[in-house]
Amino acid sequence: QVQLVESGGGLVQTGGSLRLSCTSSERTFSSYAMGWFRQAPGRERDFVAAITYRGRTYYPDPAKGRFTISRDNAKNTVYLQMDSLKPEDTGVYYCAANSGNYLKTRPYEYDYWGQGTQVTVSS
């Protein structure tokens, strides 16, 4: 069982920045592809970013140019740098791991999930 713990959420004004972190104690963390998802109240989890173990990344159009996913395998940590935040970025952000090391965009394609961290962007 891979355990993931997110941190770094909070309240920020429109146009501000936050950096989320997701840390795992799994010793084979570097072999997993990682993703970030956002869930707003009453909505499904939306894909935000993904990264392979070698660092190849993928973003949906709303995140391109504003969000950056990265990882430090020595620290068993994946990051999500979020800039130029908008109110519609508000939600609970989850990190997830998939053992296939592919850039996957659907929640059911991921094997393990963190507990989430709240991000609120005020207008």
Side-chain angles (χ1 to χ4, degrees), residues 1 11 19 28 35 37-38 43 59 62 66-67 72 75 78 83 88 90 92 99 106-107 110 113 118 123:
Q1 185 77 8
L11 174 64
R19 187 175 82 154
T28 60
F37 289 78
R38 175 182 62 244
R43 294 178 58 93
Y59 306 90
R66 299 191 302 125
F67 293 3
D72 184 338
K75 296 182 178 180
V78 63
D83 300 315
E88 51 264 44
T90 294
V92 178
S99 57
R106 296 175 178 83
Y110 284 79
W113 292 84
Q118 176 71 44
S123 58

Side-chain angles (χ1 to χ4, degrees), residues 18-76:
L18 281 175
R19 187 175 82 154
L20 307 183
S21 300
C22 172
T23 301
S24 174
S25 60
E26 172 63 35
R27 61 184 178 87
T28 60
F29 171 84
S30 62
S31 66
Y32 288 83
M34 302 297 295
W36 284 97
F37 289 78
R38 175 182 62 244
Q39 188 165 24
R43 294 178 58 93
E44 297 181 350
R45 289 187 186 185
D46 293 325
F47 170 68
V48 174
I51 187 168
T52 66
Y53 75 88
R54 289 184 177 178
R56 188 162 60 99
T57 60
Y58 180 72
Y59 306 90
D61 285 344
K64 289 179 180 177
R66 299 191 302 125
F67 293 3
T68 304
I69 188 171
S70 61
R71 67 190 299 162
D72 184 338
N73 288 333
K75 296 182 178 180
N76 281 10

